Amino acid sequence: MSEINFTIRPYLDMVIEQDKIFLQRLGKRISELRLRYKLTKVQLAFEINTSESNIRRIEKGQINVGIITLNKIAEVFNISLSELVRFD
């Protein structure tokens, strides 16, 4: 069993690293949109019915955001969900 874990570990590390990068890019995108719309973290949190600390963690890429929350964020910025996760 330990051989299997040893052989797939580099792959899992790579996947986890890709997830971290995605969450960081998503957080940066949300932060940029929030600033563009001149919203504070507290205001955005109020709009999507969450806490300011959750917004802070989202913007830092520290949590995996659910699809419902992402959709609410997109609605606040009047953009589609696909536009929210587009990192051009």
Side-chain angles (χ1 to χ4, degrees), residues 48 65-82 84:
I48 68 167
V65 186
I67 193 75
I68 300 299
T69 300
L70 288 176
N71 192 54
K72 288 178 182 180
I73 292 170
E75 287 176 354
V76 168
F77 300 130
N78 198 30
I79 60 175
S80 69
L81 190 53
S82 63
L84 181 63

Side-chain angles (χ1 to χ4, degrees), residues 36-49:
R36 185 182 311 160
Y37 280 75
K38 298 182 171 122
L39 293 174
T40 66
K41 290 179 181 92
V42 171
Q43 290 169 321
L44 179 57
F46 177 80
E47 290 293 325
I48 68 167
N49 195 31

